[in-house]
Amino acid sequence: MALDFAFSEEQLMIQDSMRKCLEPFEGRREELVKMVLKDKIFPQEVWDAICATGLMGCVIPEEYGGNDMGLLATTIGLETLGSFGFGNALFVLTTMDAACILRNGTEEMKQRYLPKMATGEMKFGFALTEPNAGSNAFRIQTVATKDGDDYLLNGQKVFITGADVADRLLMVVRTTSREECEAQGLPKAFGLALFIVDPKTPGIDLKPIPTRGIEGMTQYTVYMDDARVSAADLVGEADMGGMALFNSLNPERILAAATACGMAQNCLDKAVSYANERTVFRDKPIGIYQGISHPLAKVAIELDAVRLLTYRAAWAFDQGEHPGKVGTYANMAKYMAGEMAIEAVDRAIQTMGGYGFSEEYGVIHYYESARLLRTAPVTAEMILNFIAEHELGLPRSY
């Protein structure tokens, strides 16, 4: 069968819907983007307009209030938003959590959460990282202890994005400690569990972390002291959350790559526009010089390559391919996207010269966001470790 690289009518509709939903804000675009990039506030009115297009329901079947267009449609939509300067981590986090709930949750859980996630009425965050566990998720120490029909959570999470505005967090905990697993000779993936947790639950305390680079969001340390969560909010089975976890992590990496593509397109557009207008010598625009045009052309080529990698990863997820294979595609896309985004922003700044550092030209803020994508949601080094081991068959290095 021949490969078809053309978008379907539905995918083109998503792309067009993203453009149209932002039209009412065109006169306030700079003001709103400033809120996102500088003030770390994502405007609720923009969130509502985007959600009204159905973007949040793409990975959710119609029976739960979604449109079942798939992760590829979400990827295309998120990329388009990014190209207009509107990136939002909670779009990524809510989508990845919806995918996990859909594939691992009970029917009652799906009915309770997915319809509200599909409309954007309910925002989700994701809580995995701890002070001593991040790249190695198996080292987490936050514990959920059974207490009647509930569980009590005790522990600490760090770098939890948007915990103050999220309605729920999909939280990774242990229902069997790492020490117990080692003593019983159980696999390292055993003992993990996923819970849907209300961050306003008594016993949970949020402390902001003064980080930069997260568009429209603040990151938090989340402290838990006997925070009570219902057993009905356990996603999947206790101790068996390892595989379910990857039903969230793969979409997260794919959508991070889509975010990078949108950001790179935005910066490339700004740089090209500037290079076509700015004159220095001979009354000719600076874009006439190959020292300016060639690096921008290189960014355009790399962007298209990363875009294809990202679409392939999203397509594989939608096809229900094995999480390991999807993970390979997702990791490759995320790695290349992080590197490409940094190059795109850097080249835009270089093209604009001193104006590249001026906030009014709308590029300098993206340098932090692009650099973050080399590190999060998984570091470039961990991706290279994964590819070396699982694709090349080289010895495990960590």
Side-chain angles (χ1 to χ4, degrees):
M1 181 183 295
L3 291 175
D4 185 356
F5 289 92
F7 282 172
S8 68
E9 288 187 13
E10 286 184 335
Q11 291 160 352
L12 288 171
M13 181 181 67
I14 279 285
Q15 201 173 48
D16 188 52
S17 295
M18 293 307 105
R19 297 190 186 102
K20 288 182 177 177
C21 79
L22 296 176
E23 287 178 357
F25 307 105
E26 191 57 38
R28 301 168 52 209
R29 183 171 167 185
E30 290 186 10
E31 168 200 344
L32 295 170
V33 170
K34 176 181 173 292
M35 288 177 64
V36 172
L37 296 176
K38 191 173 181 182
D39 301 333
K40 293 188 175 184
I41 299 170
F42 195 90
Q44 183 64 39
E45 58 185 319
V46 178
W47 172 277
D48 292 339
I50 294 169
C51 290
T53 67
L55 180 65
M56 295 304 303
C58 287
V59 301
I60 299 173
E62 293 181 8
E63 63 189 290
Y64 302 116
N67 54 55
D68 205 19
M69 290 176 65
L71 187 64
L72 179 55
T74 310
T75 298
I76 294 167
L78 196 64
E79 179 195 348
T80 304
L81 286 174
S83 71
F84 284 91
F86 290 100
N88 183 277
L90 287 189
F91 282 116
V92 174
L93 299 174
T94 302
T95 298
M96 63 186 270
D97 293 347
C100 184
I101 292 169
L102 179 64
R103 296 193 176 194
N104 302 282
T106 63
E107 182 60 29
E108 185 276 333
M109 178 181 288
K110 295 174 189 176
Q111 295 285 355
R112 185 155 39 107
Y113 289 115
L114 291 180
K116 293 182 178 180
M117 297 171 82
T119 61
E121 177 185 348
M122 187 168 275
K123 305 179 182 77
F124 266 61
F126 185 69
L128 169 63
T129 306
E130 297 182 3
N132 296 311
S135 296
N136 186 356
F138 303 121
R139 294 183 64 88
I140 67 169
Q141 296 178 320
T142 297
V143 62
T145 307
K146 196 79 165 66
D147 185 53
D149 292 331
D150 300 328
Y151 283 83
L152 297 178
L153 304 183
N154 286 279
Q156 178 182 347
K157 298 290 182 181
V158 294
F159 302 119
I160 307 308
T161 301
D164 58 328
V165 293
D167 299 291
R168 297 290 187 275
L169 300 174
L170 182 61
M171 186 174 292
V172 187
V173 302
R174 278 203 166 274
T175 39
T176 299
S177 72
R178 188 163 171 254
E179 292 75 17
E180 290 178 79
C181 289
E182 290 177 351
Q184 298 177 44
L186 295 169
K188 63 181 180 179
F190 187 84
L192 298 179
L194 303 177
F195 281 90
I196 298 173
V197 179
D198 185 342
K200 298 178 181 63
T201 298
I204 293 182
D205 185 42
L206 307 180
K207 181 179 179 181
I209 305 172
T211 53
R212 297 173 66 165
I214 300 287
E215 300 171 15
M217 295 287 132
T218 299
Q219 292 189 312
Y220 286 83
T221 299
V222 180
Y223 299 96
M224 288 155 286
D225 183 9
D226 280 345
R228 186 173 294 275
V229 59
S230 170
D233 281 321
L234 171 63
V235 183
E237 300 178 35
D239 294 327
M240 303 300 290
M243 185 56 71
L245 177 61
F246 285 98
N247 285 327
S248 271
L249 296 184
N250 283 336
E252 180 185 35
R253 291 165 191 184
I254 294 166
L255 294 177
T259 299
C261 288
M263 183 190 307
Q265 186 68 63
N266 182 280
C267 291
L268 181 61
D269 290 344
K270 290 178 185 294
V272 169
S273 177
Y274 184 90
N276 273 318
E277 297 173 2
R278 173 70 166 166
T279 59
V280 179
F281 305 107
R282 297 188 301 157
D283 294 326
K284 299 291 185 179
I286 60 174
I288 198 173
Y289 303 112
Q290 292 176 350
I292 298 293
S293 65
H294 282 189
L296 293 177
K298 183 170 179 281
V299 168
I301 292 168
E302 292 175 352
L303 171 56
D304 205 44
V306 174
R307 203 177 263 134
L308 289 173
L309 272 173
T310 305
Y311 293 167
R312 180 179 69 170
W315 175 86
F317 182 87
D318 287 340
Q319 297 302 308
E321 292 196 15
H322 188 276
K325 178 55 69 175
V326 177
T328 293
Y329 295 155
N331 277 311
M332 286 180 172
K334 191 272 171 188
Y335 175 87
M336 291 298 296
E339 301 303 308
M340 179 273 303
I342 294 171
E343 178 62 23
V345 180
D346 186 70
R347 182 42 53 184
I349 293 171
Q350 192 70 8
T351 300
M352 295 180 180
Y355 290 115
F357 295 88
S358 172
E359 292 183 355
E360 64 180 309
Y361 276 73
V363 171
I364 190 62
H365 285 296
Y366 288 116
Y367 200 85
E368 294 172 345
S369 300
R371 181 58 185 82
L372 175 70
L373 288 167
R374 181 184 281 171
T375 301
V378 59
T379 68
E381 290 78 12
M382 286 304 297
I383 290 177
L384 294 175
N385 285 337
F386 179 92
I387 298 300
E389 178 186 353
H390 295 282
E391 291 301 306
L392 302 182
L394 294 170
R396 185 180 178 88
S397 61
Y398 58 97

